[in-house]
Amino acid sequence: MGAAAAAGLSPREARAAEPVLRVRVDRNTVEVGRPVTVEVEVKSDDRGRAQEPGDPIMPDLPGLKVAFRSSGMSRSMTYRNGLMSSETTRTFVYNLTPLQPGVYPLKIGVNDGGKVVLAKEVVTLTAEGATMSGAGSQQAQAPAAEGASPSSERLSEEVFAQIVTNKKRAYVGEAITAQWEVWQRVTANIEVDMLPVFKDFYAVELKAGEALEQFVGGRQWRVHPAVRRILFPQKSGKLRIGGGTLTVSPSSGFGLFSRPRGRAFTVRGEPVEVEILPLPARNQPAGFSANNVGSYVLSVEVDRQDLEQGEALTATFTIAGDGNLKVFDPGEWPTPTGMRSYPPKESFEQRVRDGKIYGVRKFEVLYVADTAGTIVFPAKQIDFFEPESAKYRVSESASIEVNVRPRAADPSSAGGGVVPPEADLSRPEADALAEQDQAGELSPVLGAAALERGHEQVSWLTTQRWKTGMLTVPGVGVAALSVAALAKRMRPSAQTIQARRHRSQARELLAKARAGVDGGVEFEATLGALVQAAAVRKAGDEAVGRERSRLLDTLRSQGCAEADVSMVGETLDACDAARYGAAAREPAERARLLRGVESLLRSWEVL
Amino acid sequence: MTRRPPCAVTGMRRRMLAVVLCGPVLGIWSTVAGADVVDSAYKSAGEAAMVGHWSEAVTQYERARSLLASPSAELEYDLGTAYAHTNELGPAVFHLRSALRLAGNDRVREGARRNLSVATRRVSLRAEVSGARVSMYEGWKSRAERLLRSQAVGWMSLLAGAYLAGLAIVRVLAPGVLRRLRSLLLTLGVICACLFLSLGVTRTIALGADPEAVVAGERVPVREGAGHHHATAFHVEGGSVVHLKESAPGWRRVRLDDGLEGWISERSLLL
């Protein structure tokens, strides 16, 4: 007991716990050639540890390429029961690319002080598809790609672009898969300036796919499939596919921490030439369409084979195969004797698999049985050129018999009569129209013997007249307001009106005085009033109601000439004297006096 | 002074007299003859329609229409109705719409409205069967545009403008009148100014809207560009009403009421 206690309490060498590994993959099943991201997390306790565990030991499996991408570290500290402990977590990210199909067990370990510690769970990776041949060949997206392996000259560059086609020689209308790849081995921002030009090709856009890691020429490359198309050459000869242009700005760091490194430069992809052969003239069917290249099968089915006269059936012609089915020319669809047909309703589906384009095109033709009896749908043929065998082929649908029963209710159909033209509709249309016409038939035509004339009312208010009128209104308004403003501006002021009135009064008095020159009647009184009024006006408001001497002084103070002032005084005195009979004057004298006054008034601008 | 030979003078006078006398006679005769031809074709069409020979009726109505100098609401109505009977819905819709636009008598208006309704329902039905698109421009926007383009709205805006112009003239010539009836005239002026501006602007916009056309034929392909080599974007059923946006030689870019646009051959449009 005591020994046991002693053994239990005896001091031991402190030993760190083993690191714990956790392996995560973004997917467990992948196509051959596609990379899988593997994250390895190594968690270790720092207590009693002399050194940290090493980097993960990745499995060295044949056919599996391993590429390191990045790593990170985090540390957490815990204070518990007075003891401080810390834990370090290191994360490593790898890209694994299977080069051949199979199941890859990912036994990943880490070296911890000379001892390899493995992850508790072994993750497996399953690769599907065909084996990759060569390091530079492309994945299943573009099978047997020609020109996929870049030249050594290209591999010496940091970034380059190349066109990869699956064929270098094809017939007109034959499908060619083309992929524009951008290869880079340095960190850089890449912008596409100009996409490759696919002139003389009918192109179908495909999904470009993901970037791949490739180890070519002793270097790690990242390959971006930027553009991927299926091309159908439209003419024969050596056709060229343009190479496209890129602007490359080298940088260092990732994301927010990236910084430019060096000057930007332009990369031009090399154009590729494809030899396109014309379709062989030998054995070519008459009227053959150059769009019918590929491999197709035609089938036909009808929705019913027993129907009543006047009823409709739908025949569905289906063309399926690989090739440019969208532009395939099927020719005319057959119309059996005793039936009417309508333009087909068309549907088209297309999908791409393994770089080949497949399609199904359906033509639904509506037939209306006009006559009763057995009607045979003749077999329909389609001609096409098969590039693989370089031969013209024919696909033929089966002929179908349809039984058309006579319409019992319609006496006109007893002898196999034709449905009247007014019933020129398919069954569903006719049924629906019958319901509709019960609700409201067409109103009848007028049926007049002669056409009424002369009451067609052509409206006076044309668009042009209306616009003119609408523009005239603001014009009139502006003109009226302008006239009002002008009139207000040009109207004489109160002073001018008063001056004009005074001048008029002065003229009247002067005329009266002139009339009295010869006879002397009211001459002096008129003249005196005229001179008095002129002098008061000249002297201003101060002189109103003042005695004569003050009036004359005011005139003087206002700068009037002494001669004028004297004349005013003398004239007024003379007039007063004459009025009171102190001095009678001769006409000549009155005329002289008048002239003097006239001269004075003119100089004062009273007249 | 030389004189013309008497015989020459006589000949010239005779010719002038003949022209003066025969001109009006020939003119009257030709007018009557034209009217007869139109009436004859119209009557034949009516007779064919009565016995249900609608194709013949269409031919005769079209003949009368080509001979008639000015459009006739009655003839458009009869022609549209005949086309509706032959199930040529594109021309039917086109002529019935013309009849409504020309606004004949009440009977024509009522009949055209009813037959147009039947024809457009048939167009919708046919489009449903064929899988083509249909466009009718029957929403509030189209109705508002039609209302704004009407004569009544035109006259209303013009009269409001005339009142405003009159008010401005009165202000210049007889400001006393304006002073006496100030509140009444100004209230009316504000109302008229609002009418003038709002109707003027909206009617101008409505008049400047894209012109309409009717699609003829059945399940007409609408292409992505002006030309048969362009891919077919979709199909539109005959009798659909479309707006014309742009033109290229032989082709028109059209817009459907749901906003879809594409190019249609001019031969498939009734303008």
Side-chain angles (χ1 to χ4, degrees), chain B residues 12-187:
Chain B
M12 184 173 282
R13 279 182 183 166
R14 274 182 188 160
R15 278 198 293 275
M16 284 173 68
L17 190 65
V19 168
V20 168
L21 288 176
C22 295
V25 172
L26 287 171
I28 292 163
W29 180 76
S30 65
T31 308
V32 172
D36 283 347
V37 171
V38 171
D39 286 341
S40 169
Y42 186 68
K43 190 180 173 188
S44 302
E47 286 168 359
M50 288 302 159
V51 294
H53 293 162
W54 293 107
S55 300
E56 175 62 17
V58 164
T59 309
Q60 292 299 329
Y61 279 135
E62 285 283 15
R63 185 155 174 262
R65 188 170 183 263
S66 66
L67 293 166
L68 201 61
S70 58
S72 158
E74 287 81 8
L75 182 54
E76 293 292 319
Y77 164 72
D78 283 346
L79 183 53
T81 305
Y83 269 124
H85 278 283
T86 59
N87 272 319
E88 290 177 72
L89 299 179
V93 169
F94 176 76
H95 291 293
L96 290 169
R97 280 167 61 91
S98 298
L100 276 177
R101 196 179 57 246
L102 290 167
N105 56 40
D106 289 345
R107 190 183 165 201
V108 169
R109 267 204 302 275
E110 185 61 31
R113 207 168 284 132
R114 178 173 172 167
N115 290 357
L116 184 60
S117 159
V118 173
T120 49
R121 279 208 303 274
R122 285 187 183 181
V123 170
S124 302
L125 189 71
R126 188 177 277 181
E128 203 171 312
V129 170
S130 67
R133 291 187 176 274
V134 69
S135 164
M136 284 301 164
Y137 277 103
E138 285 299 325
W140 65 269
K141 199 177 166 192
S142 304
R143 288 199 187 98
E145 272 183 8
R146 275 198 286 276
L147 179 70
L148 285 168
R149 281 199 295 261
S150 68
Q151 294 280 312
V153 173
W155 279 114
M156 202 184 292
S157 55
L158 269 188
L159 288 174
Y163 176 83
L164 292 175
L167 209 62
I169 292 168
V170 167
R171 189 175 180 277
V172 174
L173 298 180
V177 177
L178 204 60
R179 246 173 262 132
R180 279 197 298 279
L181 301 170
R182 186 183 176 85
S183 60
L184 175 68
L185 294 179
L186 281 183
T187 308

Side-chain angles (χ1 to χ4, degrees), chain A residues 382-396:
Chain A
I382 54 168
D383 299 312
F384 56 91
F385 177 76
E386 194 176 62
E388 281 77 14
S389 60
K391 283 181 180 170
Y392 290 97
R393 306 272 187 197
V394 175
S395 180
E396 190 175 83

Side-chain angles (χ1 to χ4, degrees), chain A residues 35 93 367 401 507:
Chain A
V93 181
Y367 292 96
E401 279 189 4
R507 281 188 194 127

